[in-house]
């Protein structure tokens, strides 16, 4: 099983993907200095398969082939959504971009299929539940803020939820590929999982304020509200990553350009009903503790637009499918990559 080490504040540098990434973009900016470079421009891409092309994506019934493609895209910072053996909207966008970058006609996915077979020969591996995994589970996790504020840690509801997020997938898919109910997982249980570099919460930076340093501060991100995708660029406006997102409610969306002002791992959250519903702070709020089921997940990336940021989520299965109160939500396994892509000072363009 391939493993990924989540870096500390000192050594977090970008992981440049092998597949240059984007979702709704064609690069159209001159190579200027980072200070003078205009923001990246985005244009729609045709995501539909073209009749007559000889290598479409595998059929929906070929679960393993589609899972290989999802894993290949995810490992290279193309966000396909959660892994489920189905090439859905976000997987098709990522696959289409891969073709366009490589000069391959839309609908001809022969090279991507070959790459996935070479890089992911076995789409599954196994994970053995460990005793120490229990520390990330909060038994009887409350669902309402007043009760959550009384807990010390907003952990996973059970070991199934822990394992699903660890391997970028869902409870349902794990139970499907294991052929049984997994809600009784315990230390020593062996679970069949997607063969992806796992999100290891135990190795994630704790209570770290990421500073303005390194090349990431000159990077930018374009948040495409309609496409529900965040596209990351280096200081030369070259795409380096793309992840599906859930945008804020239309009444809270502020189109324009902002700056990243702060970044913190494993944040707490000030739950304020007035702020969430009306965008105005009040004196009635609850301070919610950290944890993967915190409303902002395991990462907060604040912007110069007060109260608006990019962050993780306790509900990764809703990414791209539900509105947030105002921020830009990513799955926790994607949010952990933010410090390698952005830092305070980075541009945030919302379109």
């Amino acid at each position: 099983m391939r493993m990924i080490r989540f870096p500390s504040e000192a050594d977090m540098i970008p992981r440049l993907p092998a597949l240059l990434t984007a979702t709704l973009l064609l690069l159209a900016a001159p190579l200027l200095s980072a200070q003078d470079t205009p923001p990246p421009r985005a244009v729609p891409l045709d995501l539909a398969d073209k009749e007559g092309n000889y290598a479409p994506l595998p059929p929906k019934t070929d679960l393993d082939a589609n899972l290989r493609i999802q894993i290949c895209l995810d490992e290279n910072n193309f966000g396909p959504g959660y892994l489920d053996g189905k090439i859905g909207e976000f997987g098709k966008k990522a696959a289409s971009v891969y073709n366009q970058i490589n000069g391959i006609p839309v609908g001809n996915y022969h090279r991507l299929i070959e790459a996935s077979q070479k890089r992911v020969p076995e789409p599954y591996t196994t994970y053995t539940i460990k005793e120490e995994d229990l520390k990330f589970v909060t038994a009887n996790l409350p669902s309402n803020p007043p009760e959550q504020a009384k807990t010390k840690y907003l952990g996973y509801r059970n070991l199934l939820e822990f394992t699903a997020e660890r391997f970028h997938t869902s409870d349902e898919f794990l139970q499907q590929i294991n052929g049984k109910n997994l809600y009784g997982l315990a230390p020593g249980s062996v679970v069949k999982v997607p063969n992806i570099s796992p999100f290891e919460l135990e190795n994630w930076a704790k209570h770290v304020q990421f500073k303005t340093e390194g090349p990431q501060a000159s990077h930018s991100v374009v948040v495409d509200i309609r496409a529900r995708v965040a596209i990351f660029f280096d200081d030369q406006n070259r795409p380096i990553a793309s992840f599906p997102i859930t945008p804020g409610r239309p009444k809270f969306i502020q189109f324009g350009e902002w700056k990243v002002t702060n970044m913190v791992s494993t944040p707490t959250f000030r739950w304020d009903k007035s702020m969430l519903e009306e965008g105005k702070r009040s004196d009635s709020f609850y301070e919610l503790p950290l944890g993967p089921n915190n409303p902002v997940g395991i990462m907060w990336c604040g912007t110069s637009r007060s109260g608006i940021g990019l962050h993780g989520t306790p509900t990764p299965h809703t990414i791209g499918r539900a509105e947030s109160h105002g921020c830009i939500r990513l799955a926790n396994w994607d949010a952990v990559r933010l410090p390698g892509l952005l830092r305070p000072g980075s541009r945030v363009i919302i379109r």
Side-chain angles (χ1 to χ4, degrees):
M1 179 171 63
R2 297 180 303 280
M3 305 295 288
I4 183 170
R5 180 179 68 86
F6 289 102
S8 65
E9 178 184 13
D11 64 2
M12 271 201 172
I13 58 175
R15 275 176 69 221
L16 295 181
L19 309 178
L20 290 179
T21 171
T23 315
L24 296 182
L25 60 95
L26 287 177
L27 193 58
L31 299 183
L32 306 174
S33 69
Q35 183 177 1
D36 298 328
T37 303
R41 289 196 298 163
V43 297
L45 296 180
D46 187 352
L47 306 180
D49 292 343
K50 300 294 187 180
E51 293 184 6
N53 285 321
Y54 57 85
L57 290 166
K60 294 181 180 179
T61 53
D62 197 337
L63 189 76
D64 290 4
N66 286 309
L67 182 60
R68 284 189 184 92
I69 291 172
Q70 286 183 312
I71 292 172
C72 185
L73 293 170
D74 194 333
E75 290 281 6
N76 288 281
N77 283 350
F78 287 83
Y82 65 88
L83 305 180
D84 60 357
K86 301 173 184 176
I87 306 297
E89 173 192 350
F90 296 116
K92 288 178 180 177
K93 288 175 180 176
S96 178
V97 169
Y98 171 78
N99 276 3
Q100 294 211 20
I101 288 174
N102 288 281
I104 306 169
V106 174
N108 180 357
Y109 296 107
H110 179 70
R111 191 180 299 181
L112 175 58
I113 293 170
E114 278 193 340
S116 67
Q117 291 171 336
K118 180 178 180 180
R119 299 178 185 183
V120 193
E122 175 50 62
Y124 304 102
T125 187
T126 59
Y127 178 71
T128 302
I129 302 293
K130 300 185 284 292
E131 188 72 32
E132 52 265 36
D133 295 340
L134 290 171
K135 68 182 180 182
F136 299 112
V137 174
T138 301
N140 302 314
L141 180 72
S143 59
N144 60 83
E147 293 302 315
Q148 288 179 337
K150 298 176 184 178
T151 65
K152 295 182 178 180
Y153 182 72
L154 295 179
Y156 296 103
R157 294 172 180 82
N158 48 59
L159 285 167
L160 175 56
E161 186 178 68
F162 164 84
T163 308
E165 182 155 288
R166 191 177 186 89
F167 293 95
H168 307 194
T169 186
S170 66
D171 298 5
E172 292 76 15
F173 187 64
L174 284 186
Q175 295 189 104
Q176 176 186 343
I177 62 178
N178 282 273
K180 59 182 178 180
N181 187 308
L182 296 178
Y183 282 100
L185 290 178
S189 297
V190 179
V191 188
K192 183 178 180 181
V193 296
N195 192 13
I196 189 78
S197 299
F199 161 43
E200 296 178 324
L201 186 56
E202 65 271 28
N203 292 332
W204 174 233
K206 299 175 178 64
H207 313 300
V208 170
Q209 292 275 354
F210 294 96
K211 301 176 182 178
T212 302
E213 58 186 12
Q216 300 97 318
S218 58
H219 291 180
S220 59
V221 57
V222 173
V223 178
D224 192 313
I225 298 299
R226 179 172 294 181
R228 294 166 294 165
V229 171
I231 308 154
F232 298 80
F233 297 83
D234 66 12
D235 62 353
Q236 301 295 316
N237 274 351
R238 294 174 297 206
I240 55 175
S242 174
F243 305 117
I245 55 96
T246 293
R249 294 178 183 176
K251 69 177 182 179
F252 290 138
I253 293 173
Q254 296 292 323
F255 296 101
E257 181 172 329
W258 316 98
K259 292 283 188 182
V260 174
T261 55
N262 61 85
M263 299 183 72
V264 60
S265 63
T266 57
T268 58
F269 181 71
R270 184 183 187 277
W271 190 93
D272 184 335
K273 184 177 181 180
S274 175
M275 183 67 183
L276 296 173
E277 294 183 355
E278 305 298 332
K280 299 178 181 179
R281 278 178 172 257
S282 74
D283 294 328
S284 178
F285 64 91
Y286 297 98
E287 192 70 28
L288 305 187
L290 60 87
N293 269 313
N294 180 287
V296 293
I298 49 74
M299 186 72 205
W300 170 259
C301 178
T303 72
S304 51
R305 173 64 182 177
S306 179
I308 302 300
L310 290 82
H311 62 80
T313 181
T315 55
H317 59 283
T318 66
I319 292 296
R321 296 168 176 81
E323 291 179 351
S324 70
H325 291 288
C327 294
I328 309 303
R329 290 195 285 123
L330 301 90
N332 280 335
W333 59 75
D334 291 333
V336 298
R337 310 183 213 200
L338 287 177
L341 299 166
L342 302 174
R343 287 296 174 95
S346 294
R347 303 160 84 177
V348 178
I349 300 131
I350 300 180
R351 294 173 173 166

